[in-house]
Amino acid sequence: MLPDLKFDDKGLIPVVVQEIDTKEVLMVAYMDEVALKKTVETGYTHFWSRSRKTYWKKGETSGNVQEVKEIYYDCDADTLLIMVKQHGSGACHTGHRTCFYRKISIKKGN
């Protein structure tokens, strides 16, 4: 049974996906209740694509699937954290291991 989560007005909840072994943040995506249930039932991440307006299993075509190990929800019950074992080369559709491969420089000393 799923906890009482706070989905937004479009029925979505943001999901942070993190590699369980390295703690590396791999990606952020969105789920609705159906995608979350598919994820819980199959043990692999499923999301709702806001641009394509359809469900997708992460890695279904690339083979870079995410095996779910743990699912957490935050204190406000409006964000999920899913710990996964990332299979294949990585999570990002650009070919990078993580979607967070770019950095903004900050000024130090002020």
Side-chain angles (χ1 to χ4, degrees), residues 33-52:
E33 194 169 345
V34 171
L36 178 55
K37 285 180 180 177
K38 284 184 182 188
T39 298
V40 170
E41 290 168 2
T42 67
Y44 290 91
T45 55
H46 289 76
F47 302 102
W48 173 257
S49 171
R50 295 176 301 159
S51 59
R52 295 187 313 261

Side-chain angles (χ1 to χ4, degrees), residues 20-86:
I20 194 159
D21 296 325
T22 65
K23 306 303 185 246
E24 183 177 33
V25 175
L26 299 173
M27 61 182 284
V28 174
Y30 291 86
M31 289 182 174
D32 65 2
E33 194 169 345
V34 171
L36 178 55
K37 285 180 180 177
K38 284 184 182 188
T39 298
V40 170
E41 290 168 2
T42 67
Y44 290 91
T45 55
H46 289 76
F47 302 102
W48 173 257
S49 171
R50 295 176 301 159
S51 59
R52 295 187 313 261
K53 308 286 188 228
T54 189
Y55 295 101
W56 55 286
K57 176 185 177 187
K58 180 65 182 160
E60 191 166 36
T61 56
S62 67
N64 299 330
V65 296
Q66 296 173 335
E67 183 182 352
V68 176
K69 297 299 184 178
E70 299 170 341
I71 302 176
Y72 297 91
Y73 57 102
D74 74 338
C75 56
D76 294 323
D78 64 357
T79 304
L80 298 176
L81 171 63
I82 300 185
M83 305 297 289
V84 302
K85 176 67 179 165
Q86 177 66 55

